[in-house]
Amino acid sequence: MSAEDIIKEYQDILRQYNILNQISKTVSSTLDLNKILKIILTGVTFGDGFGFNRAFLFLIDRHSKNLRGRMAIGPSSAEDAWKVWNEIKDKNYSLEEYLGSEKFENEQQFSVLDEKIKQISMPIDKNRVVWKCLQDGIPRNVDLVSAAAGGENEPVEDSGPAALFKERQAFSQDGLVQVITVNDSALIDAELAEYIDHPKFCIIPLISRTKKVGILIVDNKYNQRDITSDDIKFLLLLGQFAASSIRNTIIYNDLKDSISALSKLNMKLNYLKDYNEKIIESIPVSIIVVDHNFTVTQCNENCGKLMGFSKEIVMGKQINTHEIYIDGINLIDEVFKVIKENKAQGFYKVNMTINGEKSDEIFDIMLVPFKFSEENPEGAVIIVENVTNTVRLETELSNTKKLSQLGKLAATVAHEIRNPLIAIGGYAARVKRKFLEGAQTDIGNLEIIIEEVKRLERIVNEILDFASGREVKFSEVNISLLLLECINLAKAAAEQNNLEIIFDCGRDLVENANLHVFGSRDHLKQAFLNILNNAIDASGKKDKIKICIAKGAKDSFYDFSDSARKMQDSISGIFSKDRAEGEPEYIIIYINNSAPLANREDIKNIFLPFYTTKTKGTGLGLTITKKIIEQHAGKIEVNSSIENGTTFAIKLPLMDI
Amino acid sequence: MKKILVVEDDMPIRNLYKEELIDEGYDVITATDGVNGYELFKSSRPDLITIDIKMPNMNGLELLDKIRKEDRDIPIIIYSAYGEFTQNFSTWAADEYLVKSSDLTEFKNKVKELLLR
Ligand SMILES: Nc1ncnc2c1ncn2[C@@H]1O[C@H](COP(=O)(O)OP(=O)(O)OP(=O)(O)O)[C@@H](O)[C@H]1O
Ligand SMILES: [Mg+2]
């Protein structure tokens, strides 16, 4: 060996010690396990340090005891490798500088490699080299290329008896490093081999004293540099250091977790204790506990504020010496009942009169039976809450709600009315002018005026309907005939758009006598027409609107997918569903069109007043429809999907004939 | 003869404007929504456009914006039943903003004025 070689060798050794030093310095500055692992792997792969192309870390999983992939650093391709090396070279970072730099802090793991390693989990298998390596603490130099040649100076891994005589120490007595060469691919987990995808790599056991922590694997996939025994010597040193810092960090973090869990528990206990003591005093509720003699055994300060008693006056005395009335009911009688029947009782939003004095406040009162002990089982808790503010807020809220609805109504009405008014006024002025000019009166202009007045009337009626609810006269209504009538009325509009309304009711429907609902024909007609008109508005040219009806028990709304399927197959008419004996029968009318709602999140809103997606819509159509159906003890539901379009289901109770 | 494009979705009002403008001696074409209005703007190159704001498909403000991107000079009157749209900056791209009224005198005056400019 020439002097130059020796110098270079020493320089290398020095550099590697230096790296170790830098790694350990940075590692000791943190207790974040991920950061520590990243530092170690970066140190191993850093160009200026060991300079391995790639490094992989597997840790033993605490629960499964498997070796699980934890972190990997390295480029995922040769081009990538070249880029990364150049970048670091350009920056001229030293490892220490790099580890302290923002780039290191922000740098994500080289994703592909790192992502994949986390999916690897190798179960304990004494025949696999990773586990052998953890068993005897000796690093393995895997070389599947020169399999035939075998190792020359170093012992070769085999499963024969020779293996038993192997030293159990990575360093032999003379300080030389022990390495076992592996060239039998059967000893490598298939999963691992596939992942690493390179025939030469080195496995370093990470063992902290006797505790197995995991393994470190390095390779030089991209520059093909051989891994020397000096390399391995340093890797072993690093491995020992890594193992103990990883272990310490894990222990430290566990400890920290359990300490914080403990202190949380402690805090909780204290809190609960405090809570129990203070709650009775602090809640804005008056609590009075009485026994079966109506003697007050416990009560809180608030009881004074709420009811005009002070704690001292009430405690230990009998409550029935006071006259307490809630909305004219004697409270003591009610307490007696609660104790006797062992059943809680609530009075909500009531006024209280205590000893002849009526308060302006509003209260919620709960009477709850209370068990003192086995010998003395009877008693009750009287809980009185002042809800004056809540009630006030509630009324305010509903008033503003009404107001805002009114405001909205006003705006809609104003807008709705404005267009017809402009047209009427405009045309009237025009007719007048033409008349004065001596021109012939244009009947068309007058017709428009008449039409627009009708439109105004319709709008006003709708609003009045919504606002008041016309007087309803109920009589027997034949639903099938009414539906046919509505369909005929809707047909004109449908045909304009080339739409088809399918209601293939067949004989079934007409022959079935009992399709009668007790209700208002006009209103039901309006309800059906509203839905049909919506369906027409929503449909494109040549779409189909499908109607089918079913009979069934009260709560047997057909599920929508079922009805959608039936409509798909165009099975109309009656399909009944089982119902229990004696239950009234319901008719369910499905009206489907192929377009989904414009905004499907708005499905909750479509029955609300003024919800509309149309320029000329009032958004009252469905609100009125729902009101009508509910006036008939019925129910209306909607379902909308891209596949099945929009389906309204109307359920009405049939008359018992 | 000057050509005016009226974009308005409400049929009676559309007809009213059309007839009144024809009486004033203009050539009038009409569109029922923003999309239709844009098509006609491209195909028949009118001298002036009147646009309603509240319309289905493409509303008047969108249409105004689209036309202005291609033609900064064509006179445009935008109108609506709402007064509050005056607060909306996008209406400023129009030459005139009017609140709809049954009295068309102002409307007709503005049309005349803009075409003389
Ligand atoms: N069959 C349907 N398909 C798709 N969307 C619908 C259907 N029915 C109702 N909608 C949606 O629900 C909205 C509210 O309907 P609603 O009947 O209450 O008011 P409108 O039809 O807009 O106005 P109006 O009924 O007063 O003319 C409609 O604007 C439409 O967006
Ligand atoms: Mg409607």
Side-chain angles (χ1 to χ4, degrees):
Chain A
M1 207 189 277
S2 73
E4 263 166 42
D5 281 343
I6 293 170
I7 291 171
K8 190 176 174 300
E9 205 182 302
Y10 272 100
Q11 272 178 342
D12 281 343
I13 291 170
L14 224 82
R15 211 186 56 232
Q16 286 181 325
Y17 268 117
N18 194 21
I19 291 287
L20 264 180
N21 188 26
Q22 287 175 30
I23 294 176
S24 71
K25 229 161 85 185
T26 358
V27 163
S28 55
S29 71
T30 178
L31 280 165
D32 175 348
L33 184 61
N34 271 327
K35 198 168 171 199
I36 289 176
L37 301 180
K38 202 170 151 192
I39 292 169
I40 291 165
L41 292 190
T42 307
V44 169
T45 51
F46 196 73
D48 189 38
F50 295 95
F52 289 105
N53 291 178
R54 303 187 301 174
F56 313 91
L57 203 98
F58 294 81
L59 296 183
I60 291 186
D61 187 275
R62 261 198 282 180
H63 305 291
S64 65
K65 304 283 180 240
N66 287 359
L67 261 177
R68 292 194 55 169
R70 179 62 194 255
M71 190 181 281
I73 285 190
S76 50
S77 67
E79 299 94 83
D80 236 25
W82 201 75
K83 216 174 76 200
V84 174
W85 288 329
N86 272 330
E87 210 173 281
I88 290 175
K89 227 197 216 148
D90 280 347
K91 287 264 154 55
N92 215 2
Y93 276 130
S94 76
L95 176 63
E96 202 173 358
E97 281 165 349
Y98 180 67
L99 292 180
S101 73
E102 237 179 76
K103 184 166 158 49
F104 173 77
E105 283 289 345
N106 299 334
E107 178 128 32
Q108 294 299 315
Q109 312 309 334
F110 296 101
S111 53
V112 189
L113 216 55
D114 189 57
E115 234 166 65
K116 277 199 187 144
I117 199 173
K118 297 198 162 81
Q119 291 156 21
I120 297 181
S121 178
M122 296 178 277
I124 293 184
D125 182 346
K126 297 245 154 16
N127 292 321
R128 303 291 189 187
V129 69
V130 286
W131 292 100
K132 289 184 178 192
C133 161
L134 271 173
Q135 189 60 40
D136 57 23
I138 298 172
R140 298 300 196 271
N141 205 354
V142 178
D143 184 354
L144 302 176
V145 178
S146 43
E152 281 177 28
N153 309 320
E154 295 133 341
V156 170
E157 179 97 62
D158 63 35
S159 35
L164 291 173
F165 301 105
K166 294 271 149 61
E167 279 263 25
R168 292 289 170 262
Q169 284 285 311
F171 291 101
S172 57
Q173 255 122 12
D174 54 4
L176 284 178
V177 66
Q178 290 249 342
V179 183
I180 298 175
T181 300
V182 178
N183 43 33
D184 179 1
S185 62
L187 294 168
I188 317 282
D189 292 67
E191 211 187 352
L192 182 68
E194 193 194 344
Y195 169 68
I196 290 185
D197 192 27
H198 185 63
K200 289 183 179 182
F201 54 91
C202 182
I203 307 172
I204 308 291
L206 303 180
I207 301 176
S208 162
R209 282 188 235 147
T210 56
K211 181 83 183 164
K212 300 176 180 91
V213 175
I215 57 169
L216 171 70
I217 295 178
V218 296
D219 76 2
N220 283 323
K221 180 171 177 171
Y222 300 113
N223 64 7
Q224 310 284 348
R225 186 172 68 82
D226 273 337
I227 299 173
T228 65
S229 64
D230 272 344
D231 281 337
I232 292 175
K233 192 165 152 189
F234 280 99
L235 283 174
L236 268 171
L237 284 174
L238 176 74
Q240 275 175 4
F241 167 74
S244 62
S245 35
I246 291 168
R247 179 131 191 268
N248 288 344
T249 313
I250 292 175
I251 290 173
Y252 170 81
N253 284 330
D254 280 354
L255 203 68
K256 208 174 74 185
D257 284 350
S258 53
I259 285 174
S260 91
L262 263 176
S263 69
K264 255 187 213 145
L265 196 70
N266 202 16
M267 257 165 63
K268 233 186 201 159
L269 282 174
N270 275 336
Y271 175 73
L272 273 178
K273 206 165 135 243
D274 267 14
Y275 188 75
N276 272 337
E277 279 167 8
K278 283 187 188 146
I279 187 163
I280 239 181
E281 292 303 338
S282 63
I283 50 174
V285 162
S286 106
I287 298 173
I288 302 171
V289 183
V290 296
D291 66 9
H292 63 293
N293 292 321
F294 298 113
T295 305
V296 176
T297 61
Q298 215 173 334
C299 93
N300 65 347
E301 246 359 293
N302 262 316
C303 124
K305 271 183 237 148
L306 285 180
M307 296 170 64
F309 300 144
S310 80
K311 193 173 171 178
E312 292 72 40
I313 290 178
V314 181
M315 273 297 269
K317 308 243 170 70
Q318 270 174 297
I319 194 151
N320 51 359
T321 56
H322 300 277
E323 269 185 27
I324 307 171
Y325 282 91
I326 43 179
D327 280 357
I329 302 167
N330 190 337
L331 183 78
I332 309 302
D333 290 350
E334 292 302 322
V335 174
F336 183 70
K337 235 193 271 170
V338 164
I339 296 175
K340 207 176 112 200
E341 288 166 15
N342 196 26
K343 221 170 100 195
Q345 171 83 281
F347 302 87
Y348 303 102
K349 297 180 187 162
V350 291
N351 286 116
M352 263 204 285
T353 311
I354 299 172
N355 296 329
E357 246 175 78
K358 187 168 186 263
S359 83
D360 297 333
E361 316 270 77
I362 302 164
F363 300 93
D364 274 359
I365 298 176
M366 279 296 291
L367 308 177
V368 188
F370 185 75
K371 212 173 178 176
F372 287 97
S373 61
E374 287 307 321
E375 314 90 67
N376 187 8
E378 290 138 12
V381 187
I382 305 168
I383 303 163
V384 182
E385 187 177 358
N386 187 334
V387 293
T388 315
N389 283 336
T390 322
V391 171
R392 208 169 280 151
L393 266 173
E394 265 171 25
T395 31
E396 239 163 63
L397 206 70
S398 88
N399 279 346
T400 47
K401 230 186 204 161
K402 266 186 218 146
L403 264 180
S404 82
Q405 281 200 354
L406 200 70
K408 237 172 157 182
L409 178 71
T412 322
V413 171
H415 177 250
E416 279 294 303
I417 286 179
R418 196 157 198 165
N419 271 348
L421 278 181
I422 291 165
I424 292 166
Y427 271 106
R430 185 178 164 77
V431 170
K432 180 184 169 197
R433 199 185 69 229
K434 292 272 171 188
F435 176 79
L436 291 177
E437 283 167 4
Q440 216 193 342
T441 312
D442 186 344
I443 292 295
N445 288 353
L446 291 175
E447 260 162 12
I448 289 178
I449 294 176
I450 293 163
E451 275 309 310
E452 289 300 276
V453 170
K454 275 192 196 154
R455 187 165 139 199
L456 277 179
E457 274 176 337
R458 213 170 48 237
I459 293 168
V460 170
N461 279 341
E462 245 178 54
I463 290 163
L464 286 180
D465 254 9
F466 171 68
S468 65
R470 261 181 278 153
E471 208 203 312
V472 197
K473 273 208 191 111
F474 274 31
S475 62
E476 190 181 312
V477 183
N478 183 327
I479 289 292
S480 50
L481 291 183
L482 183 64
L483 266 176
L484 284 175
E485 194 184 320
C486 293
I487 291 165
N488 270 333
L489 283 172
K491 257 200 180 117
E495 271 160 13
Q496 274 187 356
N497 288 312
N498 252 329
L499 291 174
E500 207 183 331
I501 302 183
I502 302 174
F503 181 41
D504 171 27
C505 59
R507 276 182 308 144
D508 237 9
L509 190 68
V510 181
E511 276 171 14
N512 196 314
N514 184 18
L515 280 179
H516 295 271
V517 164
F518 189 64
S520 153
R521 201 186 144 79
D522 283 352
H523 282 83
L524 287 174
K525 188 166 152 187
Q526 193 189 350
F528 294 143
L529 278 178
N530 280 350
I531 293 186
L532 279 172
N533 284 334
N534 280 348
I536 291 168
D537 288 344
S539 298
K541 284 213 182 333
K542 288 194 183 154
D543 273 357
K544 289 190 176 76
I545 294 168
K546 295 174 188 167
I547 301 165
C548 72
I549 59 180
K551 288 206 297 184
K554 184 168 190 215
D555 292 315
S556 73
F557 250 61
Y558 278 93
D559 71 285
F560 280 98
S561 54
D562 186 40
S563 63
R565 187 181 53 75
K566 284 191 165 110
M567 278 186 280
Q568 212 80 56
D569 303 345
S570 206
I571 305 170
S572 296
I574 298 164
F575 38 97
S576 344
K577 178 130 178 163
D578 300 337
R579 78 191 150 102
E581 202 64 47
E583 244 183 57
E585 233 181 345
Y586 280 78
I587 180 170
I588 305 162
I589 302 137
Y590 294 101
I591 301 178
N592 164 275
N593 56 278
S594 50
L597 294 179
N599 302 309
R600 275 196 296 131
E601 319 82 69
D602 279 350
I603 195 151
K604 301 184 285 309
N605 300 331
I606 62 168
F607 291 109
L608 295 180
F610 314 117
Y611 172 80
T612 181
T613 57
K614 302 170 194 169
T615 14
K616 279 203 201 160
T618 60
L620 287 170
L622 285 176
T623 316
I624 293 166
T625 302
K626 187 167 186 219
K627 200 167 167 184
I628 292 171
I629 299 302
E630 281 167 0
Q631 274 172 348
H632 286 79
K635 205 171 159 188
I636 180 166
E637 287 184 358
V638 63
N639 178 283
S640 185
S641 69
I642 292 165
E643 310 84 59
N644 297 322
T646 304
T647 308
F648 282 85
I650 301 161
K651 183 181 71 171
L652 291 165
L654 286 170
M655 278 173 82
D656 228 350
I657 300 179
Chain B
M1 202 166 26
K2 296 283 189 186
K3 200 195 293 176
I4 298 173
L5 168 60
V6 174
V7 192
E8 163 69 62
D9 65 322
D10 194 273
M11 190 271 282
I13 294 187
R14 192 169 62 236
N15 282 348
L16 176 68
Y17 284 13
K18 182 179 172 183
E19 289 182 53
E20 290 287 305
L21 290 172
I22 287 173
D23 281 357
E24 296 285 305
Y26 303 113
D27 183 10
V28 182
I29 47 174
T30 59
T32 54
D33 60 31
V35 174
N36 187 207
Y38 181 72
E39 283 163 10
L40 285 180
F41 157 73
K42 296 292 277 183
S43 61
S44 40
R45 291 283 152 197
D47 299 296
L48 181 145
I49 308 175
T50 75
I51 303 172
D52 183 23
I53 288 184
K54 197 172 180 243
M55 285 188 299
N57 292 329
M58 186 197 292
N59 72 35
L61 296 177
E62 291 169 290
L63 175 62
L64 172 66
D65 189 52
K66 218 164 162 195
I67 292 175
R68 272 289 176 254
K69 281 199 176 114
E70 292 178 29
D71 189 335
R72 289 173 49 192
D73 300 323
I74 183 164
I76 298 178
I77 298 177
I78 196 149
Y79 55 82
S80 150
Y82 299 117
E84 69 253 37
F85 273 118
T86 23
Q87 248 91 70
N88 190 323
F89 291 123
S90 33
T91 61
W92 294 7
D95 297 272
E96 272 307 330
Y97 174 90
L98 294 176
V99 175
K100 268 190 210 174
S101 156
S102 66
D103 184 353
L104 296 186
T105 326
E106 193 187 4
F107 175 66
K108 286 187 273 190
N109 285 341
K110 292 289 179 205
V111 170
K112 202 183 288 170
E113 240 173 65
L114 287 175
L115 283 173
L116 281 177
R117 232 175 31 191

